[in-house]
Amino acid sequence: MNSLQKYSYLIKREAKRLGFESCGIAKAGFLEEEANNLEQWLKNGYHGNMQYMQNYFDKRLDPRLLVDGAKSVISLSFNYYPEELQNKNSYQLAKYAYGEDYHYVLKSKLKELIFFIQNEIGEVNGRVFVDSAPVLERAWAQKSGLGWRGKHSLLIQKNKGSFFFLAELILDLELEYDVPFKTNHCGKCTRCIDACPTQAILPNNTVDGSKCISYFTIELKDELPATMKGKFEDWMFGCDICQDVCPWNRFSKPHSEEKFNPHQDLLEMNNKDWQEITEAVFKKVFKKSAVKRTKFAGLKRNINFLRN
Ligand code: B12
Ligand code: SF4
Ligand code: SF4
């Protein structure tokens, strides 16, 4: 085993120990194939009011502009599929938001991973990323061999489905690179496209973010548009429809991260409980949750939209 292979092996072993289910490595460089598509996506206004998607265009396409001397992008996945689902007679919350905010939970694991690398390998510089940075996370995951992009645009793995988060480490360390995932296993299936209640999934593996229920219920700070009335089914925060109908998700297994377990009340609450929710209950049920980002008023806005 040469040193590149040895370092890659050690990193993957430690990532697994920290709870990451998959870990793949790609050579850092310019994302040529994605450049035109990203430009087109923005030109078409698919980002809606998510202004942050317009920022750092060049950095988003090249991790070497995010980390000096970057050589490797390490992509990681972390399962969030819950053991128990919400009451059926209840407004729905996206499954990723049941427990503690994943940005904090995963960031601390990524920091542990980078400390491990610095201790085992030596002076390595790098940064950790989860979701909010200008990194095209699914493109890197595919390049690192983790899986393919479904028609709903999310990353899917054959034996695991798609209910996992993605995260990255960008390092100035050369490593052994995995083979990009080249095949697509959606075939003729169009279940996600057919099931999306707002027709946000376009025919070319692209999602018009400005039409997605997740965008409306989480990202949009203004009033919800009347044209969307009656289209959100029961979703009050995020939306899992395109993943729930995906046949690959029959392989989802419950996660084992205690911090992602929901407050018991969250599972038991029904529509009436949600309609009558007080700020005190909101604070209790969503103590460290990503739902706090919409604030109490945001969740109330969404619930009222589903009600009236
Ligand atoms: C912005 C964003 C959103 C937006 C926009 C969604 C989107 N699909 O872009 C909104 C708010 C709607 C959203 C919703 C959700 N999100 Co989100 N989101 C992001 C974020 C921050 C950036 C994504 C991005 O860069 N979009 C921009 C476009 C340009 O990217 P793209 O889809 O790759 O575009 C390509 C295609 O459109 C294609 N294309 C475009 N035009 C054309 C034309 C042709 C001809 C062809 C062939 C291709 C093509 O090329 C483009 C460039 O590669 C990422 C985190 C990150 N930093 O990457 C998380 C992320 C993608 N989200 C995630 C999740 C979990 C969700 C939700 C499931 C949450 C929920 N339950 O409510 C939903 C799923 C909705 C869906 N089906 O996409 C996870 C996905 C994990 C996974 N397994 O893939 C991520 C990776 C966060 C994370 N760290 O885990 N999200
Ligand atoms: S998350 Fe819901 S609204 Fe968004 S693309 Fe998927 S099915 Fe459509
Ligand atoms: S529902 Fe079908 S088309 Fe959509 S991502 Fe899953 S396999 Fe692909």
Side-chain angles (χ1 to χ4, degrees), residues 234-245:
D234 274 337
W235 294 91
M236 63 171 167
F237 185 92
C239 168
D240 281 335
I241 295 174
C242 51
Q243 297 191 89
D244 285 338
V245 301

Side-chain angles (χ1 to χ4, degrees), residues 274-293:
W274 288 113
Q275 285 163 10
E276 291 168 1
I277 191 172
T278 60
E279 192 149 10
V281 173
F282 177 84
K283 281 190 177 145
K284 181 179 72 174
V285 173
F286 297 119
K287 204 165 161 214
K288 291 183 179 175
S289 158
V291 178
K292 272 171 71 183
R293 287 164 183 244

Side-chain angles (χ1 to χ4, degrees), residues 22-38:
S22 318
C23 173
I25 311 176
K27 187 176 163 62
F30 179 61
L31 288 171
E32 207 173 330
E33 275 177 45
E34 278 74 16
N36 277 341
N37 292 340
L38 173 63

Side-chain angles (χ1 to χ4, degrees), residues 81-115:
Y81 191 75
E83 172 131 44
E84 228 186 310
L85 299 177
Q86 272 182 281
N87 184 341
K88 284 263 182 283
N89 181 27
S90 165
Y91 298 127
Q92 296 294 302
L93 198 71
K95 292 180 250 311
Y96 85 83
Y98 275 21
E100 276 187 36
D101 189 335
Y102 69 101
H103 296 92
Y104 302 114
V105 177
L106 295 194
K107 221 161 221 172
S108 80
K109 288 178 187 289
L110 292 171
K111 283 187 182 151
E112 265 194 68
L113 185 55
I114 217 164
F115 286 138

Side-chain angles (χ1 to χ4, degrees), residues 190-254:
T190 55
R191 282 197 206 180
C192 53
I193 299 176
D194 303 339
C196 175
T198 56
Q199 281 88 47
I201 309 177
L202 309 176
N204 54 0
N205 287 51
T206 303
V207 166
D208 177 349
S210 73
K211 282 191 177 164
C212 178
I213 295 169
S214 189
Y215 163 77
F216 287 120
T217 55
I218 303 174
E219 303 282 339
L220 189 68
K221 305 297 169 224
D222 312 331
E223 223 176 288
L224 295 168
T227 48
M228 285 292 145
K229 202 86 194 156
K231 291 196 172 176
F232 288 4
E233 298 193 0
D234 274 337
W235 294 91
M236 63 171 167
F237 185 92
C239 168
D240 281 335
I241 295 174
C242 51
Q243 297 191 89
D244 285 338
V245 301
C246 178
W248 291 102
N249 277 329
R250 66 183 183 273
F251 298 113
S252 307
K253 290 195 187 69

Side-chain angles (χ1 to χ4, degrees), residues 34 37-38 41 50 52-53 60 80 94 96 102 130-133 135-138 149 152-155 162 164-166 204-207 209 212 214-215 218-219 238-240 242-243:
E34 278 74 16
N37 292 340
L38 173 63
W41 194 82
M50 294 179 283
Y52 62 84
M53 286 304 299
R60 206 176 286 277
Y80 64 80
Y96 85 83
Y102 69 101
V130 191
D131 184 53
S132 45
V135 177
L136 287 171
E137 296 190 308
R138 292 159 298 163
R149 309 269 312 261
H152 52 24
S153 89
L154 302 170
L155 198 88
S162 64
F164 51 78
F165 298 115
L166 291 173
N204 54 0
N205 287 51
T206 303
V207 166
C212 178
S214 189
Y215 163 77
I218 303 174
E219 303 282 339
C239 168
D240 281 335
C242 51
Q243 297 191 89

